[in-house]
Amino acid sequence: MPLQVESDDKNPTDGSILRANTFSETKHEISHFEIKTNFPFREFSFTLADDVYIRYMSFQDEEDWEETVIGRVPHKIDIGAIYNFRPKDNRMASAGQFQPQEKELVFDIDMTDYDEVRTCCSGADICSKCWKFMVVATKVLDIALRNDFGFQHILWVYSGRRGVHCWVADEIALKMSVTARAAVAEYLQLLRGGANQNKKISLNSLRLHPFVARSISICEKHFKTIILDEQCLLEDNQTWEKLLCYFPDDWQNKEVLKQEASNLDGHGRWELVEEYCKEIEKKRPQLHIREEIILHCLYPRLDINVSKGLNHLLKSPFCVHPKTGRVCVPFEPHRVEFFDPEKVPTLKVLVDQCTNIEMTTYEGKNKKQRTRKDHKKTALRPSVDILDNFVEKLSKQWKTRLIEQSGKT
């Protein structure tokens, strides 16, 4: 277990909060002051060498953050909520007063949760074949978050090893209560139960919810390629037996289906499933056996506890994964099919590239001369551009909001 430390700040500042709502007198000069003042109340955590874990870190501004990162060289950085006290001053708050106020709505999808439906890899391993599970998950969730909930500012990030993270940064998402977050997470969670539960979904309804029907349509487009051609999942007799649990217990032809499928490959078995499903659903139209199996194999497997809570931390984009050396890079959901985790820049590649880049001198806010290498001259440029575009759109929304608010005062 990592050693956990609350904060190593030796000189905590006053725990009181000075909330400022003052804007520039001219609309054209409205700054991000309201957004920036949230930064000192944002929690960060560092994982240092020897698994030393420090929570409740916070920083006055970008320079404070940068200097600490350079000085401490954390192996991993996690981002948490915005609190009502500066996180580094949390011990100065009375019992129960230190509470999270805002946080992005986040989702964490881990490839290990797909081990029962993938045959190419297991555990922490990942390849181009099983990455396609993440492709489907990204498509299903991104469309649902945009179409069903109206979210616009969504950042997708490769975790650096075996999964993806999703950050929803709309203002309404930031301010959602735990109850509201739980409602969104429960809405999106179709599969229930762990690896020991064979049947994870039941669509016992004459008419499917539009969200469910759309998810089936997305998964169905990838089913034959991923499940039948590449994973050959139905050829594994143990998995085949588990999937047969989706047929009703009182269905008399289950043993006949087993017998007929015994000498068939995956494609042949799936054709039998489709044939028998049509027969069953003529008499019992509320059953959707074929669709349940498709969702069982491909629907996103969510850790909804990550999404529900306000005090959960998630790995920061552009961290370097300590096991793989790969950078946690953002990717575009509409181009997720073309994203290859095996081609993600590694720390070694970036170090080699940086050795050939000249240092650029710039001035910080305190006029101190600093130097920095141009990261946009490395393999990170496409990923940085994605983040810049995401931030720019988010910034425009906040500017518009501030202009509207200033016009009412």
Side-chain angles (χ1 to χ4, degrees), residues 55 79-81 83 103 106 108 303 305-307 309-314:
R55 272 204 74 169
I79 302 175
Y83 282 80
K103 180 172 167 285
V106 297
D108 184 5
D303 182 353
N305 291 323
V306 172
S307 306
L310 276 166
N311 60 352
H312 184 91
L313 292 91
L314 193 62

Side-chain angles (χ1 to χ4, degrees), residues 85-223:
F85 281 79
R86 290 179 176 86
K88 66 180 180 180
D89 297 335
N90 71 89
R91 292 180 180 176
M92 301 179 67
S94 301
Q97 280 190 331
F98 180 64
Q99 297 292 332
Q101 303 296 302
E102 297 180 6
K103 180 172 167 285
E104 292 79 6
L105 176 64
V106 297
F107 297 90
D108 184 5
I109 310 173
D110 197 320
M111 188 68 78
T112 55
D113 293 327
Y114 289 79
D115 279 355
E116 65 174 327
V117 291
R118 62 171 178 157
T119 59
C120 54
C121 303
S122 63
D125 295 330
I126 187 173
C127 69
S128 58
K129 289 182 179 179
C130 56
W131 171 253
K132 291 179 181 178
F133 286 106
M134 298 293 104
V135 170
V136 176
T138 301
K139 288 184 174 183
V140 169
L141 290 183
D142 191 72
I143 292 174
L145 290 169
R146 295 179 192 276
N147 291 5
D148 299 354
F149 296 97
F151 296 127
Q152 300 178 42
H153 303 285
I154 304 172
L155 182 70
W156 287 91
V157 181
Y158 168 54
S159 71
R161 190 176 192 183
R162 62 189 182 211
V164 297
H165 299 156
C166 175
W167 300 75
V168 183
D170 295 65
E171 183 181 8
I172 192 172
L174 286 169
K175 298 180 182 300
M176 286 173 69
S177 66
V178 172
T179 302
R181 292 168 193 269
V184 173
E186 293 289 348
Y187 174 91
L188 294 171
Q189 187 188 38
L190 295 185
L191 304 183
R192 300 180 184 276
N196 295 325
Q197 182 172 328
N198 292 336
K199 187 172 183 179
K200 292 181 167 57
I201 184 171
S202 179
L203 304 175
N204 194 8
S205 173
L206 284 174
R207 186 176 180 181
L208 295 176
H209 188 282
F211 160 64
V212 176
R214 185 181 64 231
S215 299
I216 292 169
S217 177
I218 295 171
C219 293
E220 186 176 13
K221 291 176 183 178
H222 298 269
F223 182 80

Side-chain angles (χ1 to χ4, degrees), residues 156-360:
W156 287 91
V157 181
Y158 168 54
S159 71
R161 190 176 192 183
R162 62 189 182 211
V164 297
H165 299 156
C166 175
W167 300 75
V168 183
D170 295 65
E171 183 181 8
I172 192 172
L174 286 169
K175 298 180 182 300
M176 286 173 69
S177 66
V178 172
T179 302
R181 292 168 193 269
V184 173
E186 293 289 348
Y187 174 91
L188 294 171
Q189 187 188 38
L190 295 185
L191 304 183
R192 300 180 184 276
N196 295 325
Q197 182 172 328
N198 292 336
K199 187 172 183 179
K200 292 181 167 57
I201 184 171
S202 179
L203 304 175
N204 194 8
S205 173
L206 284 174
R207 186 176 180 181
L208 295 176
H209 188 282
F211 160 64
V212 176
R214 185 181 64 231
S215 299
I216 292 169
S217 177
I218 295 171
C219 293
E220 186 176 13
K221 291 176 183 178
H222 298 269
F223 182 80
K224 289 186 178 179
T225 299
I226 298 175
I227 301 302
L228 302 183
D229 294 339
E230 296 181 346
Q231 300 297 331
C232 302
L233 191 65
L234 270 60
E235 294 178 20
D236 180 80
N237 289 326
Q238 185 176 0
T239 303
W240 170 247
E241 287 285 338
K242 289 181 179 180
L243 292 178
L244 290 179
C245 73
Y246 282 96
F247 286 88
D249 293 333
D250 60 354
W251 182 52
Q252 297 178 349
N253 288 332
K254 185 177 285 190
E255 291 303 320
V256 177
L257 171 59
K258 289 182 181 180
Q259 184 62 35
E260 291 183 7
S262 59
N263 295 318
L264 296 177
D265 63 8
H267 283 272
R269 288 179 172 182
W270 182 243
E271 289 175 3
L272 270 183
V273 167
E274 293 187 307
E275 180 183 330
Y276 277 111
C277 284
K278 289 179 182 178
E279 175 187 311
I280 294 171
E281 291 168 16
K282 284 180 182 179
K283 298 178 180 178
R284 303 166 72 173
Q286 77 277 14
L287 297 182
H288 305 276
I289 302 165
R290 174 181 174 276
E291 290 78 10
E292 289 174 352
I293 294 174
I294 290 174
L295 291 174
H296 173 99
C297 293
L298 285 176
Y299 188 81
R301 298 180 175 227
L302 304 173
D303 182 353
I304 63 171
N305 291 323
V306 172
S307 306
K308 287 181 178 181
L310 276 166
N311 60 352
H312 184 91
L313 292 91
L314 193 62
K315 184 163 43 181
S316 171
F318 294 103
C319 277
V320 177
H321 196 287
K323 298 291 174 102
T324 64
R326 294 184 186 133
V327 181
C328 306
V329 293
F331 62 88
E332 297 175 309
H334 63 278
R335 293 182 53 82
V336 62
E337 294 101 328
F338 306 104
F339 183 85
D340 186 350
E342 296 179 336
K343 293 182 179 179
V344 167
T346 63
L347 181 60
K348 182 181 184 305
V349 167
L350 294 174
V351 169
D352 290 342
Q353 291 177 345
C354 284
T355 57
N356 299 318
I357 298 174
E358 293 183 2
M359 300 290 285
T360 301

Side-chain angles (χ1 to χ4, degrees), residues 38-98:
N38 281 336
F39 186 74
F41 305 100
R42 171 78 75 168
E43 181 191 1
F44 291 85
S45 75
F46 284 3
T47 303
L48 306 178
D50 300 321
D51 260 355
V52 174
Y53 180 59
I54 307 175
R55 272 204 74 169
Y56 301 119
M57 301 184 72
S58 60
F59 307 93
Q60 184 59 36
D61 51 31
E62 177 188 346
E63 288 192 6
D64 183 20
W65 182 89
E66 182 179 346
E67 288 178 1
T68 305
V69 170
I70 293 173
R72 303 302 297 270
V73 194
H75 289 198
K76 185 162 78 81
I77 302 172
D78 292 283
I79 302 175
I82 297 168
Y83 282 80
N84 55 345
F85 281 79
R86 290 179 176 86
K88 66 180 180 180
D89 297 335
N90 71 89
R91 292 180 180 176
M92 301 179 67
S94 301
Q97 280 190 331
F98 180 64

